Amino acid sequence: MLHEKLQPVFDDVLHRNPGESEFHQATYEVLESLGPVVAKRPDYVDAQILSRIVEPERQIIFRVPWVDDSSRVQINRGFRVQFNSALGPFKGGVRFHPSVYLGIVKFLGFEQIFKNSLTGLPIGGGKGGSDFDPKGRSDGEIMRFCQSFMTELSRHIGQYTDVPAGDVGVGGRELGYMFGQWKRLTNNYESGVLTGKGLTWGGSQVRKEATGYGTVYFLDEVLKARGESFEGKKVVVSGSGNVAIYAIEKVNQLGGTVIAASDSAGYVVDEDGIDLELLKDIKEVRRSRISEYVDRRAGASYASNGTTIWSVPCDIAVPCATQNELGEDDAVTLIRNGCTLIGEGANMPVTQAALRVLAESEITFAPGKAVNAGGVATSALEMQQNASRDSWTFEHTDARLNEIMRGIHSRCAETAEEYGRPGDYVTGANIAGFNRVADAMLALGVI
Ligand code: GLU
């Protein structure tokens, strides 16, 4: 149930954005938390902050033509949604995946506003992407696609305007091709226009690891608040991309054991603990399927269908694959198996129905916009280094990331407490993230 002042805002979202179910889901989840804020702050209502915040400042949709290895012309669709720039330049990644359409980009861009706000750093929210499927494409095809994508995107971005980065399907290789094309088009070595860059061309230490490490730093704070730690805990991490790999690495460093990981085709269980070097070789070097893991590691087992990874009993579940990957039945199974903490490494991996089940249980649920904010926070640190033409050590950057994640945790916990919902990280994250943006929007007038 939404507050009476918020229901019309949501009705409008449904009406103006037909068919965009992920965007509806993301807005509902935020609006659901904001009832107490609206009751307390009539000035937000008078200034129509809610109706303005759900409407992107600008949405760009463009054609991305490119030529494949068989000399065939291919056409994809590109997107950049510049959602909110009250706190700083639009900031958020670019996703290449066949599922990408406007509704996905808008849900991600909307989440990004609050996530970026929670970091306490001066970054607005935006997101982009394409329905291009990188799977099975050669390096040359990836390069030509990225160049074509950037040819159009370059008109809309800049270090003070909009700063894209990576997301699903977009890592160092793709960002390299995009930055190269940007540099060539503009004759400008403007490092701060993109983040997630390689270390030899303006990138930051720890950026690659940041989302995964930050996720585990946040969950470590949750555990500490309960008087616990990762020591001896069994952890299931879904996915095997950038977020999952570095979440696994950090769990291992903090004394936990990750016993399962997945890709879109299936999952592996390894009770001795996932062999991270092997997983990195399969996923980062060979860009292959996770099923290879069992051929190279005795005692591990593989099951096809990655979404059933939640049937593996664990203390902590960390969905790091994609949106809506953990449903109602999975939530029931996790509760039955004694799981006590779920932290979203991916963006919105837990469905609305699953959230309702979890809310009735003893499980602590930590939402993505707080948990996985370490990636974008470290992007902001990369922008800071680019602006000062400096580059920091791994240790310094990692310490900054850790400090930022601890800050996000306390901001969420204190806000939840202040609004009478102690331990409710969803309420804490949504309200703390929203208030900072709303105050900036009020100050900037009706724009
Ligand atoms: N795509 C990442 C996210 O979902 C990182 C964005 C960035 O670094 O700008 O937050």
Side-chain angles (χ1 to χ4, degrees):
M1 266 287 283
L2 293 180
H3 185 278
E4 56 172 4
K5 294 266 189 315
L6 296 170
Q7 188 63 48
V9 176
F10 186 62
D11 291 343
D12 235 27
V13 167
L14 294 178
H15 178 71
R16 298 172 93 149
N17 306 279
E20 296 175 1
S21 59
E22 297 82 0
F23 179 50
H24 303 161
Q25 184 182 342
T27 47
Y28 191 88
E29 280 176 16
V30 171
L31 293 177
E32 210 179 12
S33 298
L34 297 182
V37 178
V38 167
K40 222 167 141 173
R41 296 294 302 262
D43 52 337
Y44 288 169
V45 179
D46 293 344
Q48 300 279 12
I49 297 291
L50 278 311
S51 300
R52 278 196 273 155
I53 213 166
V54 296
E55 183 68 18
E57 288 182 32
R58 188 177 295 115
Q59 308 181 54
I60 303 142
I61 303 181
F62 50 97
R63 179 169 71 197
V64 189
W66 56 285
V67 180
D68 71 15
D69 286 347
S70 326
S71 299
R72 265 196 305 267
V73 175
Q74 299 277 350
I75 306 294
N76 284 99
R77 187 171 281 184
F79 302 88
R80 186 73 185 166
V81 172
Q82 300 181 329
F83 225 118
N84 193 297
S85 62
L87 297 179
F90 303 107
K91 182 81 198 85
V94 166
R95 174 178 293 192
F96 293 165
H97 191 271
S99 65
V100 168
Y101 76 107
L102 189 57
I104 295 264
V105 183
K106 273 158 76 175
F107 118 63
L108 291 165
F110 187 70
E111 288 277 298
Q112 201 83 43
I113 304 171
F114 307 99
K115 182 194 308 197
N116 294 4
S117 167
L118 275 174
T119 66
L121 299 164
I123 40 179
K127 202 83 184 193
S130 174
D131 57 2
F132 171 69
D133 187 0
K135 232 179 242 143
R137 290 295 177 190
S138 71
D139 207 54
E141 291 178 316
I142 299 278
M143 181 176 76
R144 291 193 295 281
F145 176 81
C146 289
Q147 290 175 336
S148 180
F149 185 82
M150 179 51 84
T151 300
E152 174 60 28
L153 190 67
S154 66
R155 303 170 199 275
H156 311 288
I157 61 175
Q159 61 174 329
Y160 297 114
T161 311
D162 182 357
V163 183
D167 196 83
V168 173
V170 179
R173 172 178 61 165
E174 293 73 19
L175 287 164
Y177 295 144
M178 284 194 251
F179 185 66
Q181 183 74 350
W182 157 270
K183 190 170 78 63
R184 187 181 189 200
L185 286 166
T186 59
N187 191 29
N188 209 338
Y189 208 112
E190 185 182 314
S191 305
V193 72
L194 289 180
T195 61
K197 299 182 295 295
L199 294 177
T200 54
W201 42 280
S204 171
Q205 297 283 356
V206 194
R207 177 61 192 89
K208 189 171 66 162
E209 296 85 354
T211 314
Y213 279 17
T215 292
V216 177
Y217 290 152
F218 188 96
L219 297 178
D220 194 38
E221 290 300 302
V222 176
L223 291 170
K224 274 191 207 145
R226 308 200 305 211
E228 297 173 37
S229 76
F230 268 101
E231 201 67 50
K233 295 278 193 307
K234 278 192 179 187
V235 184
V236 169
V237 174
S238 66
S240 46
N242 189 52
V243 182
I245 284 178
Y246 294 98
I248 295 172
E249 186 162 284
K250 191 51 74 178
V251 169
N252 289 346
Q253 287 172 13
L254 296 186
T257 308
V258 178
I259 52 169
S262 63
D263 63 16
S264 57
Y267 68 94
V268 291
V269 179
D270 187 345
E271 291 289 343
D272 296 333
I274 294 286
D275 179 337
L276 195 62
E277 289 319 305
L278 175 55
L279 188 65
K280 279 185 183 173
D281 183 60
I282 294 168
K283 285 291 168 184
E284 290 186 334
V285 182
R286 298 166 48 79
R287 296 180 192 274
S288 182
R289 308 306 305 178
I290 205 167
S291 52
E292 265 186 30
Y293 185 94
V294 291
D295 304 333
R296 295 166 61 185
R297 172 102 167 160
S301 60
Y302 174 77
S304 55
N305 183 1
T307 59
T308 51
I309 189 172
W310 308 117
S311 62
V312 179
C314 61
D315 303 305
I316 301 171
V318 193
C320 294
T322 192
Q323 67 273 356
N324 292 328
E325 57 163 304
L326 194 160
E328 193 175 358
D329 294 348
D330 302 318
V332 172
T333 308
L334 285 165
I335 295 167
R336 189 174 350 105
N337 287 342
C339 174
T340 66
L341 172 60
I342 299 179
E344 293 187 314
N347 291 314
M348 210 169 72
V350 177
T351 67
Q352 236 161 7
L355 283 178
R356 277 193 282 274
V357 172
L358 295 174
E360 300 299 313
S361 78
E362 295 294 301
I363 290 193
T364 305
F365 172 75
K369 58 174 79 67
V371 173
N372 72 37
V376 77
T378 308
S379 279
L381 301 182
E382 184 173 330
M383 291 160 72
Q384 210 173 314
Q385 292 168 76
N386 293 151
S388 57
R389 300 185 185 280
D390 197 1
S391 84
W392 306 343
T393 62
F394 190 95
E395 291 68 27
H396 176 70
T397 319
D398 190 34
R400 285 284 291 125
L401 168 64
N402 188 276
E403 187 183 320
I404 291 166
M405 295 315 296
R406 283 188 283 123
I408 297 174
H409 178 269
S410 43
R411 225 160 281 148
C412 294
E414 283 157 20
T415 308
E417 192 93 39
E418 185 188 331
Y419 282 83
R421 317 262 327 212
D424 179 350
Y425 287 100
V426 174
T427 300
N430 285 337
I431 295 183
F434 172 79
N435 281 349
R436 189 164 169 251
V437 184
D439 286 339
M441 287 175 73
L442 264 189
L444 297 179
V446 180
I447 53 170

